[in-house]
Structures are given as structure tokens and as C-alpha cells.
């Protein structure tokens, strides 16, 4: 059974940091590209970051470049999202995603697996 379980969300103040984790199981995690998306109330789900199966390639939405870092530990089947200098407008549910293709994982409608999300609330 495929599972992606996010954790690490919470309530923080603007400028604070959080690290999200995504524990994956039920598939060959090390063979999949992984990504993070977020969805704010009333808005569409948007891409945040992605990482290739080996961790050798990463990519970020322009809005988070220089502040967020995606990483993975294939031995632990876990992907992380380090978020620094958080802004109130980044309040959203953050979702972990997996797909075999590093390029395809940019497209939410084509993603194989999703987690249920973790809520990040950034107060001003």
C-alpha cells in the first residue's frame, strides 16, 4: 500500500523556519522523483519544489528560491522541505508527491501519489 505521510507543519510567525518531512512507503521510493506542493484556501494547488530520485537535481518555484531547500534521504525513504523566512501568504496545506519522472512531477494532474498534507500557518 502506497503511503506518503507529511509531518512538521504548524503555526509560526513571519520570518520563522519550519522543516517538513514526508515519509514514503509501499513503492520503490529511491526510484521516484519527489515534490512538494501547497494549496492555500480558495486557490489552486501550486508547485513548490522537486528533487530527482538521486537528489542530484532540484528545482524551486521562483517565489521560494533562496529560502526553501528540498532534500531526501533514500535510506530513510524520507523527503524534507526546509522553509526559512516564512511569509504569511505562504499559509497553506503542504503536500508531498511522487512520480517516476522528474519532469512530469511538475504537473499535479499527472502525479501518481499524494500525501494528505500538513498545514502550515504563518502569522504576521
Amino acid at each position: 500500500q502506497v503511503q506518503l505521510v507529511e509531518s512538521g507543519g504548524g503555526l509560526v510567525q513571519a520570518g520563522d523556519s519550519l522543516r517538513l518531512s514526508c515519509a514514503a512507503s509501499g513503492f520503490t521510493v529511491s526510484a521516484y522523483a519527489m515534490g512538494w506542493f501547497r494549496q492555500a484556501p480558495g486557490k489552486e494547488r501550486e508547485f513548490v519544489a522537486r528533487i530527482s530520485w538521486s537528489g542530484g537535481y532540484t528545482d524551486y518555484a521562483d517565489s521560494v528560491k533562496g529560502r526553501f531547500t528540498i532534500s531526501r534521504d533514500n535510506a530513510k525513504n524520507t523527503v524534507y522541505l526546509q522553509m526559512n523566512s516564512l511569509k504569511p501568504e505562504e499559509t497553506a496545506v503542504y503536500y508531498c508527491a511522487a512520480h517516476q519522472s522528474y519532469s512530469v512531477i511538475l504537473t499535479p494532474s499527472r502525479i501518481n501519489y499524494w500525501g494528505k498534507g500538513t498545514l502550515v500557518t504563518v502569522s504576521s
Side-chain angles (χ1 to χ4, degrees):
Q1 179 182 0
V2 172
Q3 280 194 312
L4 298 175
V5 180
E6 301 95 335
S7 61
L11 173 63
V12 296
Q13 293 188 329
D16 285 351
S17 298
L18 272 179
R19 188 176 83 153
L20 305 183
S21 299
C22 171
S25 61
F27 62 103
T28 308
V29 178
S30 60
Y32 276 64
M34 302 292 290
W36 287 95
F37 290 74
R38 64 188 178 191
Q39 187 165 17
K43 294 189 176 182
E44 292 188 354
R45 193 167 298 190
E46 65 173 359
F47 166 76
V48 175
R50 60 175 170 163
I51 187 166
S52 61
W53 64 271
S54 67
Y57 294 95
T58 59
D59 183 35
Y60 300 90
D62 287 343
S63 59
V64 308
K65 280 181 183 176
R67 297 186 298 117
F68 288 16
T69 303
I70 189 170
S71 61
R72 65 190 298 160
D73 184 339
N74 285 339
K76 296 182 178 179
N77 289 343
T78 302
V79 178
Y80 305 97
L81 185 68
Q82 177 67 43
M83 306 186 294
N84 299 330
S85 303
L86 282 161
K87 305 174 182 180
E89 56 265 36
E90 294 180 311
T91 293
V93 177
Y94 283 71
Y95 297 91
C96 179
H99 195 279
Q100 298 97 321
S101 169
Y102 179 68
S103 58
V104 170
I105 203 166
L106 278 175
T107 307
S109 62
R110 300 179 65 187
I111 288 174
N112 303 79
Y113 307 128
W114 289 99
K116 293 183 178 181
T118 185
L119 177 62
V120 173
T121 303
V122 185
S123 65
S124 58

